Amino acid sequence: MKLLRQKPVPRRVLFGVGVAGVIAASIAAVGMATSASAYSESIAMTDTSDWLQTSWGADREISRCPADQVMVGIKLEPSRGLQESKNFVKCARPAVAADDRIYVYPGGKPRASGWLDQVPNEPKTFDCSGDPMIASLHLGDYLTHGESQYRCAPLVLQSEAAGEQLVARVGEQRWSDWITAFQWEPDHTAQLDFEYTCPAGAAITAREHQKSPHGVVRFQCTSWEATS
């Protein structure tokens, strides 16, 4: 039986294969290092306030969060005698709890919804497109059903670490259950009377209201992550 001899591979081919392998390994190592260095930390909601009412008038209430805070809760309660509802917000300061070098706050140009009928015949939604709400306005009384307006602003991240560019990436978004917005008072009038607070770590980013039969409302709560 005749044995077959394997043809030797030229040294220059072996050298080329070796170089290619080293380059490929180097690229993989760089990719792994880049991936490993990517920053990602949850943005928490800290220093949650009590219910705030920052201004009140006979026909309009404007409740806004402090400049470095966002809305995590909203409440309307009857004002007996005036037959109107007082408007409150609950606020919290966004922060990266794991890294105090990062400052998180609502910045940029705030956006406002139009005036939203509290008891629309068709569902009405105002969505901040992933940005947190910062203020709530209410106008009118039970005779006119009232109108609401909401304002929101994007989260801005500033880091003391040189060259580190961070952004707020939307994490989990969840709608609340439907909440009955109107309650019947002893004098047989229907008053706007409800409250809602987002789960820990989330802020309000959208609101939907519809007539069923005297009005129900629900809110979208969103969490964020600080990423590079």
Side-chain angles (χ1 to χ4, degrees):
M1 181 176 178
K2 186 176 181 180
L3 296 176
L4 297 177
R5 297 182 61 188
Q6 185 177 4
K7 186 176 180 180
V9 180
R11 292 182 62 186
R12 62 178 179 275
V13 175
L14 291 173
F15 176 77
V17 171
V19 171
V22 171
I23 294 175
S26 299
I27 293 175
V30 170
M32 291 177 63
T34 302
S35 176
S37 65
Y39 186 93
S40 180
E41 287 288 348
S42 297
I43 295 177
M45 297 295 150
T46 65
D47 302 329
T48 302
S49 71
D50 294 327
W51 292 110
L52 304 176
Q53 186 184 35
T54 56
S55 67
W56 161 249
D59 62 351
R60 178 178 299 200
E61 314 96 73
I62 304 173
S63 293
R64 58 173 61 88
C65 291
D68 63 344
Q69 298 183 21
V70 298
M71 277 176 54
V72 298
I74 184 168
K75 178 172 74 168
L76 289 176
E77 67 177 25
S79 175
R80 298 183 183 277
L82 292 176
Q83 301 297 341
E84 296 171 346
S85 294
K86 294 182 179 180
N87 184 48
F88 299 85
V89 293
K90 183 178 290 187
C91 306
R93 183 174 58 85
V96 178
D99 195 338
D100 59 6
R101 301 173 304 165
I102 302 171
Y103 177 47
V104 187
Y105 62 95
K109 184 178 180 180
R111 292 187 293 114
S113 68
W115 286 102
L116 305 173
D117 187 354
Q118 285 295 104
V119 192
N121 291 324
E122 299 294 332
K124 285 191 176 181
T125 301
F126 175 60
D127 191 335
C128 289
S129 301
D131 295 333
M133 290 187 181
I134 56 174
S136 170
L137 294 79
H138 185 70
L139 173 67
D141 56 26
Y142 79 104
L143 292 174
T144 60
H145 302 304
E147 292 181 313
S148 291
Q149 186 186 84
Y150 299 91
R151 296 176 181 174
C152 49
L155 287 180
V156 176
L157 283 74
Q158 291 184 347
S159 174
E160 295 179 2
E164 194 170 30
Q165 300 294 324
L166 300 178
V167 297
R169 182 177 64 83
V170 171
E172 183 181 9
Q173 291 187 309
R174 180 181 301 176
W175 283 95
S176 70
D177 295 332
W178 287 105
I179 303 165
T180 301
F182 277 77
Q183 308 292 337
W184 289 101
E185 297 301 303
D187 60 0
H188 305 294
T189 59
Q191 294 285 341
L192 282 168
D193 185 4
F194 69 88
E195 68 176 71
Y196 177 73
T197 301
C198 284
I204 298 176
T205 52
R207 167 267 202 197
E208 185 174 14
H209 200 114
Q210 67 180 16
K211 186 175 182 179
S212 177
H214 297 290
V216 290
V217 64
R218 65 176 182 167
F219 297 93
Q220 182 190 69
C221 296
T222 298
S223 62
W224 294 265
E225 290 184 355
T227 62
S228 58

